[in-house]
Amino acid sequence: MSDLTTNPRPPAAPPLTERQEARRRRILHTAAQLASRGGFDAVQMREVAESSGVALGTLYRYFPSKVHLLVATMQDQLQLMQSQLRKHPPSATDPGARVTETLMGTFRGLQREPQLAEAMVRALTFADRSVSAEVDQVSRLTAVLITEAMALDHPLSRDQLAAVRVIEHTWHSALVTWLSGRASIAQVRIDLETACKLLAE
Amino acid sequence: MSDLTTNPRPPAAPPLTERQEARRRRILHTAAQLASRGGFDAVQMREVAESSGVALGTLYRYFPSKVHLLVATMQDQLQLMQSQLRKHPPSATDPGARVTETLMGTFRGLQREPQLAEAMVRALTFADRSVSAEVDQVSRLTAVLITEAMALDHPLSRDQLAAVRVIEHTWHSALVTWLSGRASIAQVRIDLETACKLLAE
DNA sequence: GGGTAATCTAGAACACGTTCCAATGATGCA
DNA sequence: TGCATCATTGGAACGTGTTCTAGATTACCC
């Protein structure tokens, strides 16, 4: 929407050399590793830099803030999940049930590394406008995840698109409540199932 | 749920003296004022303390962190909105429409002080487990807001309770999306209306 | 290969949330 | 009234995200 004013990165980012690409991967890997034990607070920029064999200034050149770094980590993880899901698509027949199944599967994935999940989601919700392009990308990935789970042959109707948005809101907010210990996994499942009712017409 | 282990405040908090109550109000007022211009970042603990005529250590005795302070501010504002709404209840006849109307009204209230809204919502979503009791309270206030808008004479059915949860998720997440500039008010309204369809049976 | 611009490094410096401490003031009990 | 406990104050100190600088290294072009 306001890419022209708010988005300094994507417009013609110069392609990275091989060494640079490697550095970037190394940084993301270190971040995920530190997050996996310790969560958000354990991802300390000095330590990320040192463990990645990179100077602090360089780290900040690649990721302009800790939040940017962790949101990029989330993009990474989401893409991983996506390729997993394409290999093992959900089995239910009803679209709503498939979406629930898919999202709960993703949930279990996050559950396996709860600290990593905490770090990424805290970053995502704490992000201010300077990260909106990257956050938007995460949102887009999530929407794709949901619509692929529906596995329809038609393009989505207007109502279905609206429903997908609400499901995404529910997914995201339920995740936050679970991470802060205010809802159980069972409750999250119920909330997702409720939201998925909107897919039936 | 886990109040016994996670909630150090409410169990028998000693009643505050008048001077203490006044200090607390003063602090909350300063916080809201600083947040109103400047948002989250502008609420600096040293400045809150100084402007409230209170030592930094005292501020931290009343509110153990910046996030606690801003979540308390949100509780405050929500209660304000609640009393406003009780004076001017929504006019529509359909429960779903009344809920949308109420929430959009609240939204417009937040829109009038967008920086304050940003500060409170950032705090809310950034809160970790140490604030879960307070965040839970905010969630409860929101749920009350929604159910009062429905204005039913029966107690809520199981499905309605589930729907209220999804509406609350949607409200919360849509708020975040709007604050980060990734959705328009019109889009927020559509999302709320979509979620409110769940109230029809 | 030489020159130049971009990138990277090491580390100091700064900002703000948070903690700690010694001294002072308020409160309530015998 | 005197004493004991707790709250408040002012300010120093610490940790971590972020910025800045000067010099080394790398990448690219002729």
Side-chain angles (χ1 to χ4, degrees):
Chain A
M1 194 162 298
S2 48
D3 273 354
L4 295 180
T5 60
T6 60
N7 195 334
R9 197 106 349 219
L16 301 180
T17 72
E18 207 164 317
R19 295 168 59 92
Q20 288 175 323
E21 191 55 45
R23 259 192 282 258
R24 203 187 116 91
R25 303 300 325 165
R26 229 160 50 229
I27 292 171
L28 283 174
H29 182 251
T30 307
Q33 193 166 331
L34 288 176
S36 292
R37 50 184 200 299
F40 187 88
D41 292 334
V43 180
Q44 305 199 350
M45 297 302 269
R46 285 175 237 265
E47 196 172 350
V48 172
E50 191 174 349
S51 298
S52 313
V54 124
L56 190 55
T58 305
L59 171 53
Y60 273 93
R61 166 181 280 271
Y62 280 73
F63 301 97
S65 77
K66 175 169 171 171
V67 167
H68 281 84
L69 171 57
L70 285 171
V71 170
T73 304
M74 176 134 209
Q75 287 177 9
D76 225 39
Q77 300 290 317
L78 264 181
Q79 266 155 351
L80 254 166
M81 299 223 177
Q82 207 167 59
S83 61
Q84 286 298 314
L85 278 164
R86 283 179 183 157
K87 276 183 262 180
H88 308 288
S91 56
T93 58
D94 172 57
R98 273 205 302 277
V99 171
T100 307
E101 195 183 324
T102 297
L103 290 181
M104 288 307 294
T106 307
F107 219 97
R108 276 187 289 276
L110 294 176
Q111 221 180 337
R112 250 172 262 129
E113 294 287 356
Q115 301 274 48
L116 175 57
E118 186 256 10
M120 297 188 305
V121 173
R122 292 270 291 289
L124 205 63
T125 59
F126 193 57
D128 66 357
R129 294 180 120 84
S130 72
V131 206
S132 67
E134 287 80 355
V135 173
D136 222 39
Q137 173 67 7
V138 168
S139 162
R140 221 168 297 128
L141 283 170
T142 310
V144 167
L145 213 69
I146 296 174
T147 55
E148 283 191 3
M150 294 172 67
L152 301 175
D153 34 5
H154 319 293
L156 275 65
S157 70
R158 168 206 290 266
D159 282 353
Q160 284 172 323
L161 278 172
V164 168
R165 287 187 61 91
V166 169
I167 293 172
E168 198 188 326
H169 284 314
T170 303
W171 155 257
H172 192 224
S173 169
L175 198 48
V176 170
T177 14
W178 170 65
L179 283 169
S180 63
R182 305 193 330 273
S184 64
I185 302 275
Q187 183 65 66
V188 169
R189 170 181 274 278
I190 293 174
D191 291 350
L192 286 175
E193 282 167 349
T194 305
C196 283
K197 284 187 193 164
L198 286 168
L199 289 176
E201 18 224 281
Chain B
M1 195 165 296
S2 49
D3 273 355
L4 294 180
T5 59
T6 62
N7 195 334
R9 198 102 350 213
L16 301 180
T17 71
E18 206 164 319
R19 295 167 59 90
Q20 287 175 323
E21 191 55 46
R23 259 193 282 258
R24 204 186 115 90
R25 303 300 326 165
R26 228 161 50 229
I27 293 172
L28 283 174
H29 181 251
T30 306
Q33 193 166 332
L34 287 176
S36 293
R37 53 185 198 302
F40 188 88
D41 292 334
V43 180
Q44 305 198 351
M45 297 302 269
R46 285 176 237 264
E47 197 172 348
V48 172
E50 191 174 347
S51 298
S52 313
V54 126
L56 191 55
T58 306
L59 171 54
Y60 272 94
R61 166 182 281 271
Y62 281 74
F63 301 96
S65 78
K66 174 169 170 170
V67 167
H68 281 84
L69 171 58
L70 285 171
V71 170
T73 304
M74 176 131 206
Q75 288 177 9
D76 225 38
Q77 300 288 318
L78 265 181
Q79 267 155 351
L80 254 165
M81 299 223 178
Q82 206 167 59
S83 61
Q84 286 296 314
L85 278 165
R86 283 179 183 158
K87 276 184 260 178
H88 307 288
S91 56
T93 57
D94 172 57
R98 272 206 302 277
V99 171
T100 307
E101 194 182 326
T102 297
L103 290 181
M104 288 306 295
T106 307
F107 220 97
R108 275 187 290 275
L110 294 175
Q111 221 179 339
R112 250 172 263 131
E113 294 288 354
Q115 301 275 47
L116 175 58
E118 187 257 10
M120 297 188 306
V121 173
R122 292 270 291 290
L124 204 63
T125 59
F126 193 57
D128 66 358
R129 297 179 119 82
S130 73
V131 206
S132 67
E134 287 81 356
V135 174
D136 223 38
Q137 174 66 8
V138 168
S139 162
R140 223 167 297 127
L141 281 170
T142 310
V144 167
L145 214 68
I146 297 174
T147 55
E148 283 191 2
M150 293 172 67
L152 301 175
D153 34 4
H154 321 292
L156 274 65
S157 70
R158 168 204 290 265
D159 283 352
Q160 285 173 322
L161 278 172
V164 168
R165 285 187 62 91
V166 169
I167 294 172
E168 197 188 327
H169 284 315
T170 304
W171 155 257
H172 192 222
S173 170
L175 198 48
V176 169
T177 327
W178 171 66
L179 283 170
S180 64
R182 304 191 333 272
S184 63
I185 301 275
Q187 184 64 69
V188 168
R189 170 180 274 278
I190 293 173
D191 291 351
L192 286 174
E193 281 168 350
T194 305
C196 284
K197 284 187 192 166
L198 286 168
L199 289 176
E201 16 225 281

